[in-house]
Amino acid sequence: MVQKQGNQFVVNDQPFYVNGFNTYWLMVFAADQSTRGKVSELFHQASSAGLTVCRTWAFNDGQWRALQTSPSVYDEEVFKALDFVISEAKKYKIRLILSLTNNWDAYGGKAQYVKWGKAAGLNLTSDDEFFSHTTLKSYYKAHVKTVLNRVNTFTNLTYKNDPTIFAWELMNEPRCTSDPSGDTLQSWIQEMAVYVKSIDAKHLVEIGLEGFYGPSAPDRAKFNPNSYATQVGTDFIRNHQTLGVDFASVHIYADSWISQTISDAHLQFTKSWMEAHIEDAEKYLRMPVLFTEFGVSAKDTGYNTSFRDTLISSVYKTLLNSTKKGGSGAGSLLWQLFPDGTDYMNDGYAIVLSKSPSTSNIISLHSTRIATFNSLCSTKCKWGCKKKNPLEEFLYHDDL
């Protein structure tokens, strides 16, 4: 299992810094024999680039090829598809962050839970009642319990005992705009983090937040991308001080949050956004922080591959600057990696490594540096220098 030691991830007491990616639709592709091979193809390409962690959905609520067709009712063939995704990840030595539901309508999410509640006769007026209504919370808990206790039909391992799983994510990008104070979402996070841990004390848990600062830290609101971000019911520092939450998650979307026209302001925001959250993770949270989604859309005005490469390099550089100091910057996950022949799924952010040689080279180089550090232990530098930690030693000699 990946574990947390202070503000670092470790495996067998050795540092585990993350260079990873998102591909959210793996389970749906695996559910169809005609597209299942794309899952293996993607993991092969990612592994070849040195990527070690993938974030993907462990939910599809009431939609096309649904995993959960109605509360606590599952399509066994789709569950076997998720089994396959996990078994293939293991084969390619890739660990998985599995998200358990969505804030957004895609793949069902909280809106679907509310629809189920209404169909059962509940008087519900807002999708945000997902976070507060006892029945809807019981639906979500039942899903958590089913997934964590699932026995993989390919490996015979129960999910909660499988080290291929890096962490559980409570929800993709939770927001509760009906309560800007943050109290409603905070209460839900507290309840659900402890519930996950009550079933599975071995795996790490994270929330799935975008990283917006809320009312508990007014002095940090200046780092938010806009004033609206303060009003969505999330509160980065307060939320992550919750019992049962092991590490912080942050997303980076300058092109969605600031402007859809490419400019240097995107790079400046990305750097300050990351540095602020790394500092918070060190000072207040004392935990690792993963930047679990970042990217830039090819649909943006002024987009070109060169800018994407610059953005990715900037994210990697900021992380390495933290890591050199033994800081909380624990890694990042690109949004998102695609295999060949899946362009019809592209939301604008897709990276196809075979078609993007310059981007692929940047990813592979960063993977090499991270892998080198992960293989080092805190012993005397073989070159005889006096740097503070193994990565600083490595980067010092790498730069020379």
Side-chain angles (χ1 to χ4, degrees):
M1 299 285 184
V2 178
Q3 299 293 319
K4 180 188 76 165
Q5 245 177 42
N7 63 353
Q8 284 187 326
F9 295 123
V10 295
V11 176
N12 296 325
D13 292 323
Q14 296 301 313
F16 184 74
Y17 286 90
V18 173
N19 195 24
F21 63 100
N22 288 268
T23 309
Y24 67 89
W25 41 256
L26 294 176
M27 178 179 68
V28 166
F29 265 51
D32 186 333
Q33 290 296 332
S34 70
T35 53
R36 176 169 285 195
K38 291 296 179 185
V39 176
S40 307
E41 185 182 326
L42 178 75
F43 283 150
H44 174 72
Q45 292 173 355
S47 178
S48 298
L51 296 168
T52 56
V53 175
C54 171
R55 177 171 169 263
T56 194
W57 294 172
F59 65 88
N60 188 9
D61 307 312
Q63 305 287 301
W64 176 67
R65 285 189 187 152
L67 172 63
Q68 187 177 197
T69 55
S70 59
S72 295
V73 178
Y74 291 84
D75 185 323
E76 177 61 18
E77 292 308 306
V78 180
F79 233 142
K80 286 178 180 176
L82 184 56
D83 294 344
F84 176 80
V85 170
I86 296 169
S87 67
E88 284 297 282
K90 180 181 181 181
K91 186 185 299 183
Y92 288 98
K93 296 182 172 56
I94 290 173
R95 296 177 190 261
L96 298 173
I97 294 176
L98 295 179
S99 190
L100 294 164
T101 196
N102 205 353
N103 181 71
W104 312 109
D105 293 353
Y107 284 56
K110 70 181 183 185
Q112 183 61 58
Y113 280 88
V114 170
K115 288 177 185 175
W116 285 332
K118 287 179 177 178
L122 302 180
N123 181 23
L124 303 168
T125 58
S126 165
D127 287 350
D128 282 351
E129 289 185 80
F130 169 84
F131 297 112
S132 57
H133 197 285
T134 303
T135 300
L136 302 188
K137 289 192 292 182
S138 73
Y139 290 168
Y140 173 81
K141 284 181 175 179
H143 175 63
V144 169
K145 185 176 182 179
T146 300
V147 172
L148 272 56
N149 285 316
R150 169 76 176 181
V151 178
N152 192 309
T153 54
F154 290 86
T155 65
N156 291 319
L157 279 174
T158 306
Y159 284 14
K160 66 183 180 183
N161 295 326
D162 191 345
T164 302
I165 296 168
F166 180 108
W168 302 111
E169 178 176 280
L170 298 182
M171 183 182 220
N172 174 52
E173 299 187 334
R175 294 184 183 185
C176 186
T177 54
S178 62
D179 182 8
S181 75
D183 291 346
T184 300
L185 186 57
Q186 177 68 14
S187 177
W188 183 85
I189 293 167
Q190 289 171 340
E191 182 176 349
M192 298 311 170
V194 168
Y195 182 73
V196 172
K197 288 289 190 180
S198 73
I199 300 171
D200 178 3
K202 297 177 181 178
H203 281 104
L204 301 176
V205 171
E206 53 105 351
I207 303 167
L209 290 173
E210 297 157 281
F212 301 135
Y213 293 102
S216 76
D219 59 320
R220 306 302 274 173
K222 63 187 177 186
F223 292 107
N224 278 342
N226 50 56
S227 57
Y228 176 68
T230 315
Q231 302 298 315
V232 298
T234 68
D235 200 328
F236 176 75
I237 294 175
R238 181 189 183 195
N239 295 158
H240 282 109
Q241 289 173 327
T242 302
L243 180 69
V245 175
D246 296 298
F247 65 93
S249 64
V250 180
H251 295 179
I252 314 170
Y253 286 115
D255 61 343
S256 293
W257 300 339
I258 295 175
S259 167
Q260 290 185 328
T261 300
I262 297 297
S263 73
D264 286 346
H266 289 196
L267 300 175
Q268 293 159 7
F269 167 77
T270 296
K271 185 172 185 288
S272 64
W273 182 246
M274 291 181 71
E275 289 175 346
H277 288 83
I278 290 169
E279 181 183 358
D280 294 334
E282 290 164 5
K283 275 188 178 180
Y284 307 115
L285 305 177
R286 295 175 179 83
M287 61 172 53
V289 57
L290 266 189
F291 296 88
T292 47
E293 289 188 25
F294 77 99
V296 60
S297 174
K299 298 176 182 178
D300 294 338
T301 303
Y303 170 87
N304 55 56
T305 304
S306 176
F307 181 83
R308 182 175 71 185
D309 290 348
T310 301
L311 176 72
I312 294 171
S313 296
S314 174
V315 169
Y316 289 165
K317 182 179 180 182
T318 302
L319 284 168
L320 287 172
N321 285 341
S322 167
T323 310
K324 279 192 288 187
K325 303 167 189 171
S328 285
S332 60
L333 308 175
L334 289 155
W335 183 274
Q336 55 179 326
L337 211 62
F338 274 38
D340 292 294
T342 54
D343 295 359
Y344 60 94
M345 295 286 289
N346 188 359
D347 59 355
Y349 291 84
I351 297 171
V352 180
L353 294 176
S354 62
K355 296 179 180 177
S356 312
S358 61
T359 308
S360 181
N361 287 340
I362 290 166
I363 294 168
S364 295
L365 175 60
H366 186 63
S367 293
T368 300
R369 289 186 164 199
I370 293 301
T372 302
F373 177 54
N374 285 341
S375 69
L376 292 169
C377 57
S378 300
T379 56
K380 186 167 63 177
C381 173
K382 69 180 181 181
W383 296 286
C385 74
K386 304 294 183 185
K387 299 297 177 185
K388 292 179 181 177
N389 67 46
L391 183 58
E392 195 169 351
E393 292 165 354
F394 169 63
L395 292 177
Y396 173 74
H397 295 288
D398 186 44
D399 288 340
L400 286 181

